[in-house]
Amino acid sequence: MPIGLDTELPRWTIAVFAAVFWLMQRGLRRSVRLWALVTLPATMLHELAHALVGLMLSARPASWSLWPRRVGTTAWRLGYVGFTNLRWWNGGAVALAPLAWALVIAAIARQAPEVPMRLPLAWSAGLGVALVWLWIAVAPGRSDWTLARQYWLSALCFLGAWAGAFYLLVAPPL
């Protein structure tokens, strides 16, 4: 029987679609502009995390861009959010904010046993691609780590809260 968009497939196909999409986007790294286009949703999620945490902690987002720019001779910056009120108590949390997407991934994985065992092909492909974009969005960039080192106290507090939340999401119930 041919596989159509309404055919139901096992849940593991989400992982297959995620792996294929991840390999495809990795292959596009030589063409920076095409790679930036394919990973634009991940870049948007990454910068959105910075902006939301900045708003919550009064860091005052002032500028942003999702347009790729060359930094130095070999590196590219896919996006950024600029702030006007980074302080010792909020700078590290703003810098490491994209790590919060790992909590979303963990929450999805935690709910996976409650999801029906079979999904249509389009849903499997869409969820696989969305999970790859979330996974790409999680990684703090080089400038994020530099900023986190500069505001190390709030970065440590954020990492502690993040680790506690992650543990609560993945720990088996008592």
Side-chain angles (χ1 to χ4, degrees):
M1 179 167 117
I3 296 177
L5 290 180
D6 58 348
T7 303
E8 292 187 354
L9 297 171
R11 187 179 24 201
W12 57 263
T13 57
I14 295 169
V16 171
F17 282 113
V20 168
F21 183 73
W22 183 78
L23 288 171
M24 283 176 28
Q25 69 90 20
R26 294 288 293 175
L28 294 174
R29 282 192 170 215
R30 289 190 179 157
S31 172
V32 173
R33 297 212 190 278
L34 187 57
W35 181 68
L37 181 65
V38 170
T39 60
L40 181 62
T43 303
M44 290 169 52
L45 289 168
H46 181 93
E47 302 307 334
L48 179 66
H50 287 303
L52 289 177
V53 170
L55 282 171
M56 288 190 295
L57 297 178
S58 300
R60 293 193 211 124
S63 60
W64 62 274
S65 174
L66 297 174
W67 193 255
R69 291 202 176 123
R70 185 181 295 270
V71 178
T73 57
T74 59
W76 285 80
R77 177 173 41 182
L78 298 182
Y80 74 90
V81 178
F83 296 91
T84 60
N85 192 35
L86 287 178
R87 301 287 185 253
W88 67 268
W89 54 272
N90 65 7
V94 169
L96 299 179
L99 289 173
W101 292 119
L103 299 175
V104 173
I105 294 170
I108 291 170
R110 174 114 181 167
Q111 296 301 317
E114 297 174 16
V115 174
M117 287 302 288
R118 300 175 96 52
L119 293 170
L121 177 62
W123 277 93
S124 293
L127 283 173
V129 170
L131 286 172
V132 170
W133 281 332
L134 271 175
W135 188 251
I136 294 169
V138 164
R142 194 173 293 147
S143 59
D144 297 337
W145 287 113
T146 301
L147 193 62
R149 280 193 301 273
Q150 183 179 350
Y151 298 104
W152 62 270
L153 184 59
S154 64
L156 284 176
C157 291
F158 177 83
L159 286 173
W162 179 87
F166 194 81
Y167 174 77
L168 291 175
L169 279 171
V170 300
L174 295 175

